[in-house]
Amino acid sequence: MDSKQENRTGWLLASPYVVYFLLFSGFPIVFSLFLVFHRWDIISPMKFIGLVNFEYLIHDPLFWKSLWNTLRFLFIHIPLQVVVALILAEVLNRKIRGLMFFRAAFFLPVVISGVVVTILWKQLYSTETGLINLFLSDIGLPKMPWLTNVTLAMPSIAIMATWKNVGLYTVLFLAGLQGIPKYLYEAAEMDGASKVQQFFYITVPAINPVLLMVVILSTINGFNLFIEPYVMTGGSPLNSTLSVVLYIYKQAFSFYKMGYAATLGFVFALMIFSVVLVQRRVLERED
Amino acid sequence: MMRQLSLTSLGSILLFSLLSVVNCSNSESTKGQYALTFWSANNPHEVEHAQELVKQWNQSHPNELVKYQPIPEGRSSEEVMLAAIVGNTTPDIYSNIWPGVVQKYVDAGVLARLDTFPDFDSLYTSRLPATLHNQFKSKDGGIYQMPWKGNPVVLQYNKGMFDEAGVQAPLNTYKQFFAAAKKITKDLDGDGYFDRWMMDVDINVEWWHRWFDFYPFYLAASGGKSLLGPDETVIFDSDAGLSSFSFFHKGFGEGYFPNAFFQGDVFLQQKVAVHLAGPYNIAHIERFKPKGFEYGFMPIPVPEGYSGKPYTYGDPKSIGIFRSGENPEIAWDFVKFYVSKHSDERLLEITNQMPLRKNLLADSVFADYFDNNPRYKFFARMIPNIVGVDNSIYVQEIFDIISQEFDAACIQGAKSPDEGIHDAAERCRYLIKREKI
């Protein structure tokens, strides 16, 4: 096969995804950049308004509130996700009875629909009839307003999101752990290193590329927080669970402010890009 | 991983999916022999009603056949209609238009102006109670919708719980309501928490939930004034708005309304004594009520000193003719048929929803229905005193702002009712000013 023919075959094989990408990512991105400078409710003619959408955004307290909420979610979710996934991976990397069962069990929430999981947890968190509060009540502890209290609502969502996604990151860490040569631990043990020292001086440096990937993926996924607050709280109480993506969704698909929603989306995408860039630089330097 | 899909991609997929659904269902090629296409709501009762009427029409109008289908499935009918408008695949007639979106459709030029038909005025004034005549006019003074049906939102109460507490219905004033609430709200199992409450209020902040708490109470206290005055001036930060906010602030503050999400129907579970609902709920209660369960209805309570009529939110729905149709005259004839006495009688019998028609209880055509279904008489009496929403493109966002302030001032008690209603009004004024630039 000559290189020309090879190229043609390559393009042919890639074409379904290229078409998909251009239709569902390329075009919407270019079109939303165009929308940023317009006011448009889908059915009326577009109106050019220059930078007015950016002016609204700067003075929009709900955008800044939703950004702060998303960051609060990330501050809880990412460390929790990394720590729990690493602990689970460590446990699943040992020879324990029922290993296959536990590996499947921890991965199961990842493949269940996000909406289903969220509805399930909403019922678990119910103040009056939820299993968690019934249990607390049985052992003499007060019932907690998990989703209706301003302080508790976002951490409750973060815990739920961690439960949902931890299986995926556990698998990634597990792959990383299984790639570490055993002789490194044996040599360290002979030199008198404790288990904790082995973890911090062998395990952590060895899985740093996986750690980097997990942190970046959790950050991107965390920034896109949507299903959980949409189904569980709608952004309440006091807008304390209103995430940026939920806010963008409301502007676009409840109020049909496509120009403003596109502006919010663009600014937010730039923020995510900057954060991920900084994360990469910091973690790669540590490596 | 779904989350990695950008929002724009997600939006496009949604829009394209809706467009394709709408396109598939209403392409020109499928119209064929039909003079009109007609969509109704897609709940089973309204589908049955529409199928029956379309069949009758088609039998008596073989040269003006109507092709019927329920509105395609979507997150909301407004979203589906929007997709249809964008894709230029609207039906000729749609029978379930929420008046809150009519002004948006009018501004986009997609609805036919109905008061240009020569016999519109006579039908409009002869069918619709005089008190509702001005509610459906658009900003340009024209009427682009035929008001069709309504579901007055009132209080339904549990007779057994009222009797047990020695409470006598109706509870006409806030004072009477809270006196009853004090007797009914209880900690039955002694664990230090209330487990029986006076009334449930949905704590979801989605904008339309305020149709079932703040808004009917505001309308009842204001004598039927809606949220906006002439030229879209915000008027709800009045004594009536404050009364409504104060009512719910007190209800949540004293623990008479639970600040919690529940599973199932708390009214039928007898955890609450009072629930806000429309006539559609009677069929649900009759189907699922426990043995011996008795219930009744009462108007929305009002502040002390109010002496006017009992107003409430009527959740009205209208019929619209889209300009994309080729036979507007035939479409208008079909609309007249769809709101005729005979059709309204079938609307009552099949769906138990109230036609927006004057003298429902006095008209002999409907006598049999109300004799056989006496519970619905209460709702028929309310029809002249219902209010819809303002004909403004901002109405959804206004309810969203109110909902956020309702959450802050009433549910969470994070600010006073006075601050809450004032902040809501100021934010709405800013919104309208901003959008008009």
Side-chain angles (χ1 to χ4, degrees):
Chain A
M1 195 186 281
D2 62 23
S3 70
K4 244 183 180 175
Q5 201 180 348
E6 203 174 338
N7 271 349
R8 229 178 291 142
T9 312
W11 275 110
L12 190 71
L13 290 171
S15 59
Y17 182 74
V18 171
V19 171
Y20 169 84
F21 176 81
L22 289 175
L23 201 61
F24 293 111
S25 293
F27 169 70
I29 288 169
V30 173
F31 186 56
S32 59
L33 184 60
F34 175 73
L35 282 180
V36 157
F37 305 103
H38 292 81
R39 182 178 285 158
W40 188 46
D41 67 357
I42 299 184
I43 57 172
S44 305
M46 268 186 214
K47 188 182 169 192
F48 179 77
I49 54 169
L51 295 173
V52 169
N53 282 327
F54 287 98
E55 195 189 321
Y56 291 163
L57 185 147
I58 290 164
H59 297 105
D60 183 352
L62 269 186
F63 170 69
W64 297 109
K65 170 105 181 163
S66 65
L67 186 63
W68 170 239
N69 291 338
T70 308
L71 292 175
R72 268 180 65 218
F73 171 80
L74 288 174
F75 288 142
I76 304 166
H77 175 63
I78 296 174
L80 195 64
Q81 183 99 280
V82 170
V83 170
V84 175
L86 199 50
I87 291 170
L88 288 176
E90 268 286 334
V91 173
L92 295 177
N93 197 30
R94 287 154 201 246
K95 284 179 182 159
I96 52 169
R97 282 182 69 182
L99 190 64
M100 291 308 286
F101 168 77
F102 285 115
R103 282 182 181 175
F106 286 122
F107 197 74
L108 199 60
V110 178
V111 293
I112 300 174
S113 149
V115 174
V116 172
V117 169
T118 309
I119 291 171
L120 183 80
W121 274 80
K122 186 177 179 180
Q123 297 189 354
L124 287 174
Y125 277 141
S126 169
T127 313
E128 301 303 330
T129 54
L131 276 181
I132 296 172
N133 274 352
L134 289 180
F135 172 72
L136 290 179
S137 233
D138 281 350
I139 59 171
L141 291 171
K143 287 179 178 175
M144 304 297 285
W146 300 108
L147 296 176
T148 54
N149 177 279
V150 179
T151 316
L152 286 177
M154 192 52 106
S156 302
I157 287 178
I159 290 169
M160 191 234 104
T162 303
W163 180 86
K164 164 89 175 86
N165 298 318
V166 78
L168 177 70
Y169 301 110
T170 302
V171 169
L172 294 176
F173 277 130
L174 193 57
L177 290 175
Q178 287 176 346
I180 305 173
K182 287 224 169 19
Y183 64 81
L184 290 178
Y185 292 102
E186 286 163 7
E189 210 163 310
M190 284 176 72
D191 289 341
S194 67
K195 290 282 178 197
V196 176
Q197 284 171 320
Q198 286 176 32
F199 179 78
F200 281 107
Y201 292 105
I202 299 173
T203 309
V204 172
I207 61 163
N208 209 30
V210 180
L211 187 67
L212 174 72
M213 188 164 73
V214 167
V215 170
I216 288 175
L217 283 179
S218 321
T219 306
I220 294 170
N221 284 343
F223 268 123
N224 283 303
L225 178 70
F226 173 70
I227 294 174
E228 294 84 352
Y230 178 68
V231 175
M232 282 177 137
T233 61
S236 68
L238 294 181
N239 290 315
S240 62
T241 60
L242 181 73
S243 67
V244 178
V245 179
L246 178 57
Y247 187 53
I248 294 172
Y249 174 84
K250 280 174 83 169
Q251 293 298 319
F253 298 107
S254 290
F255 309 134
Y256 303 107
K257 292 182 157 182
M258 293 298 164
Y260 189 51
T263 311
L264 291 167
F266 251 87
V267 170
F268 190 50
L270 284 177
M271 285 176 176
I272 296 175
F273 182 72
S274 313
V275 170
V276 170
L277 206 68
V278 171
Q279 274 181 340
R280 260 189 93 138
R281 291 251 164 100
V282 170
L283 288 169
E284 276 175 351
R285 197 175 300 152
E286 280 177 7
D287 190 31
Chain B
M1 274 179 285
M2 282 302 288
R3 281 191 178 161
Q4 284 177 336
L5 283 172
S6 69
L7 183 77
T8 43
S9 304
L10 190 66
S12 304
I13 292 166
L14 276 171
L15 203 61
F16 276 102
S17 313
L18 280 170
L19 282 172
S20 56
V21 167
V22 172
N23 254 319
C24 289
S25 57
N26 191 40
S27 64
E28 281 302 311
S29 61
T30 60
K31 203 168 169 180
Q33 57 181 325
Y34 297 100
L36 301 173
T37 51
F38 167 55
W39 288 2
S40 77
N42 55 16
N43 65 72
H45 295 305
E46 284 190 53
V47 170
E48 185 189 338
H49 171 252
Q51 279 173 335
E52 183 182 305
L53 291 187
V54 169
K55 193 176 170 189
Q56 287 174 14
W57 169 273
N58 284 345
Q59 278 169 355
S60 57
H61 298 79
N63 299 322
E64 295 168 347
L65 294 178
V66 170
K67 180 178 166 56
Y68 164 70
Q69 72 160 77
I71 186 168
E73 200 55 62
R75 195 175 65 100
S76 70
S77 57
E78 285 76 33
E79 203 171 73
V80 177
M81 285 312 297
L82 208 65
I85 291 168
V86 175
N88 200 24
T89 55
T90 47
D92 296 87
I93 305 161
Y94 176 49
S95 70
N96 200 43
I97 298 181
W98 175 58
V101 295
V102 167
Q103 189 60 49
K104 195 186 276 278
Y105 294 170
V106 171
D107 289 353
V110 296
L111 279 181
R113 185 169 171 165
L114 302 185
D115 54 353
T116 55
F117 291 110
D119 47 354
F120 175 83
D121 281 344
S122 61
L123 175 64
Y124 189 79
T125 51
S126 64
R127 183 176 185 270
L128 198 65
T131 45
L132 309 186
H133 282 181
N134 289 326
Q135 287 190 28
F136 300 93
K137 281 189 180 155
S138 286
K139 271 196 293 187
D140 62 1
I143 301 175
Y144 294 80
Q145 54 187 317
M146 184 66 213
W148 179 40
K149 59 168 184 164
N151 288 294
V153 175
V154 300
L155 298 187
Q156 61 186 36
Y157 65 95
N158 181 320
K159 276 187 179 167
M161 286 169 77
F162 268 39
D163 290 345
E164 188 188 315
V167 172
Q168 188 70 41
L171 305 171
N172 293 319
T173 65
Y174 291 179
K175 201 173 172 183
Q176 290 171 1
F177 184 93
F178 284 122
K182 202 169 181 181
K183 291 179 187 169
I184 286 170
T185 305
K186 278 181 183 163
D187 171 16
L188 294 172
D189 60 8
D191 66 351
Y193 302 97
F194 289 140
D195 34 36
R196 174 186 278 185
W197 298 268
M198 180 62 177
M199 183 168 83
D200 66 314
V201 177
D202 200 321
I203 59 170
N204 195 314
V205 290
E206 187 86 16
W207 59 275
W208 54 268
H209 283 288
R210 302 294 77 84
W211 296 347
F212 302 98
D213 39 59
F214 161 76
Y215 195 46
F217 276 76
Y218 165 74
L219 293 171
S222 69
K225 284 195 179 77
S226 57
L227 302 174
L228 302 177
D231 298 325
E232 296 181 317
T233 49
V234 174
I235 58 166
F236 65 78
D237 52 341
S238 56
D239 287 346
L242 180 59
S243 297
S244 179
F245 259 49
S246 301
F247 175 85
F248 288 99
H249 179 85
K250 182 172 178 177
F252 279 106
E254 304 280 331
Y256 301 143
F257 311 152
N259 179 6
F261 293 106
F262 287 95
Q263 298 164 41
D265 187 329
V266 281
F267 184 69
L268 288 181
Q269 290 166 9
Q270 309 200 58
K271 286 180 177 167
V272 299
V274 177
H275 177 75
L276 280 120
Y280 48 79
N281 217 35
I282 293 176
H284 169 77
I285 295 175
E286 287 299 321
R287 190 171 169 199
F288 296 107
K289 69 181 181 184
K291 207 176 170 189
F293 186 90
E294 285 190 61
Y295 62 101
F297 297 94
M298 54 187 174
I300 305 289
V302 289
E304 278 61 36
Y306 176 85
S307 56
K309 288 176 182 169
Y311 287 93
T312 189
Y313 177 58
D315 196 12
K317 293 285 161 36
S318 298
I319 304 175
I321 297 176
F322 285 87
R323 290 178 63 194
S324 53
E326 291 163 4
N327 300 305
E329 300 292 339
I330 303 173
W332 173 237
D333 284 342
F334 181 77
V335 171
K336 284 189 286 185
F337 165 73
Y338 214 74
V339 299
S340 65
K341 268 191 190 176
H342 161 72
S343 303
D344 283 347
E345 186 191 4
R346 295 301 292 147
L347 177 73
L348 279 165
E349 287 168 352
I350 297 171
T351 71
N352 293 311
Q353 298 187 58
M354 300 293 122
L356 294 183
R357 176 179 279 284
K358 59 174 77 162
N359 304 324
L360 270 176
L361 290 172
D363 199 316
S364 60
V365 173
F366 310 112
D368 280 352
Y369 171 79
F370 286 111
D371 285 346
N372 295 331
N373 302 279
R375 283 191 192 279
Y376 292 92
K377 285 183 181 175
F378 180 82
F379 294 93
R381 260 182 239 117
M382 293 293 291
I383 288 296
N385 301 326
I386 62 160
V387 181
V389 294
D390 294 285
N391 283 303
S392 165
I393 58 168
Y394 311 114
V395 74
Q396 276 169 272
E397 268 189 279
I398 287 172
F399 272 107
D400 183 60
I401 289 170
I402 289 172
S403 195
Q404 288 170 32
E405 295 297 337
F406 183 85
D407 182 33
C410 304
I411 301 173
Q412 302 299 330
K415 52 172 84 170
S416 70
D418 199 10
E419 286 170 321
I421 200 76
H422 174 263
D423 290 353
E426 284 304 311
R427 286 176 62 187
C428 291
R429 286 188 185 107
Y430 174 70
L431 166 83
I432 294 170
K433 190 179 159 193
R434 191 185 90 174
E435 293 296 315
K436 281 184 175 171
I437 294 170

